[in-house]
Amino acid sequence: MNLEEDIHNNLPFPSKLKKYALVRGSYLYYHYKCDGVNDAGWGCAYRTLQTICSWIVKQENIKYLVEIPSINDIQTALVKVGDKPESFINSRQWIGSLEISYCIDYFYKILCRILHCKDVKEVQSHTSSIFNHFQEYGSPIMMGGDRDCSSKGILGICETEIGMHLLILDPHCRGPTVSKENLQCEGWIKWLKIDDLDHSSFYNLCYPLLKAAV
């Protein structure tokens, strides 16, 4: 695989910036079909998990250095921990933030915090929690929802004079990727105003509780 690294670098901030906090350390951008598996339409959370795993294995303070799990590895792990039946393996079933937390614990012995937000207004109320996470831990966050069922990574947060924005890493690119600049231009990494999230959806956030080594 030829995966792009740290695709948020040099992405401009929204105008009228007041403060920000970003992921610390490097990661690889995993997306639909990046390893030859055609997961378009169902694999977005698996790809977000793989991106988080790539960040984890680059940390010098992690003791469990294992390879980035494949989609099959992830499905097998969820069966082994008792979360899914055997029929889940080789299926095209979606996973969400809770399953992500199980896998990060299974593969790396790292606990995660799950934050349930019933709507966008509640996401807005937890922006200080997101700021604090990036300042204390610096690890990527997974975001999933129900009406908004497109899993995404959160790599940062910023406050501007017109509102709060999240730095969204979107795994739905069907590749092949050309360059960081191309990915930025196409919006696979972008600043999104929180108020532009789906107001009919709840959101679950998964915070990996591993502190960045840098």
Side-chain angles (χ1 to χ4, degrees), residues 26-212:
S26 292
Y27 60 89
L28 296 173
Y29 173 51
Y30 280 81
H31 55 86
Y32 279 165
K33 301 183 179 182
C34 64
D35 55 5
V37 175
N38 185 1
D39 57 318
W42 57 272
C44 52
Y46 296 90
R47 300 309 187 182
T48 299
L49 172 58
Q50 289 174 322
T51 291
I52 294 173
C53 291
S54 74
W55 180 91
I56 290 172
V57 301
K58 289 177 178 289
Q59 303 309 304
E60 296 176 0
N61 55 343
I62 182 68
K63 296 179 181 178
Y64 301 92
L65 296 178
V66 301
E67 295 296 322
I68 308 303
S70 66
I71 288 178
N72 184 263
D73 293 334
I74 293 165
Q75 292 182 335
T76 301
L78 289 170
V79 171
K80 287 184 176 179
V81 301
D83 181 63
K84 303 293 183 188
E86 286 280 348
S87 59
F88 180 67
I89 298 175
N90 296 321
S91 73
R92 294 188 173 190
Q93 293 184 37
W94 297 359
I95 59 174
S97 294
L98 191 58
E99 289 93 341
I100 298 297
S101 71
Y102 294 155
C103 287
I104 291 174
D105 183 31
Y106 177 85
F107 289 112
Y108 304 106
K109 304 296 186 285
I110 295 168
L111 297 178
C112 296
R113 176 189 174 202
I114 299 293
L115 177 64
H116 174 70
C117 298
K118 65 182 180 182
D119 53 28
V120 172
K121 186 176 292 187
E122 197 162 317
V123 175
Q124 292 273 20
S125 73
H126 287 288
T127 54
S128 60
S129 164
I130 301 173
F131 265 109
N132 291 340
H133 173 79
F134 283 115
Q135 290 167 345
E136 182 176 359
Y137 292 96
S139 59
I141 297 171
M142 150 76 180
M143 174 183 264
D146 60 341
R147 286 294 187 91
D148 180 0
C149 57
S150 298
S151 161
K152 50 190 73 71
I154 302 175
L155 300 185
I157 184 170
C158 76
E159 180 181 0
T160 73
E161 292 182 8
I162 63 169
M164 307 293 296
H165 295 69
L166 298 176
L167 182 56
I168 299 295
L169 183 69
D170 186 342
H172 296 83
C173 175
R174 304 189 183 204
T177 61
V178 178
S179 66
K180 293 178 186 178
E181 293 76 14
N182 178 260
L183 292 168
Q184 292 178 7
C185 287
E186 293 182 359
W188 302 115
I189 179 75
K190 65 182 179 181
W191 287 103
L192 179 72
K193 192 175 179 183
I194 292 178
D195 199 49
D196 289 337
L197 290 167
D198 189 334
H199 283 251
S200 65
S201 182
F202 73 68
Y203 288 96
N204 288 327
L205 279 65
C206 175
Y207 299 64
L209 301 180
L210 174 68
K211 292 187 177 181

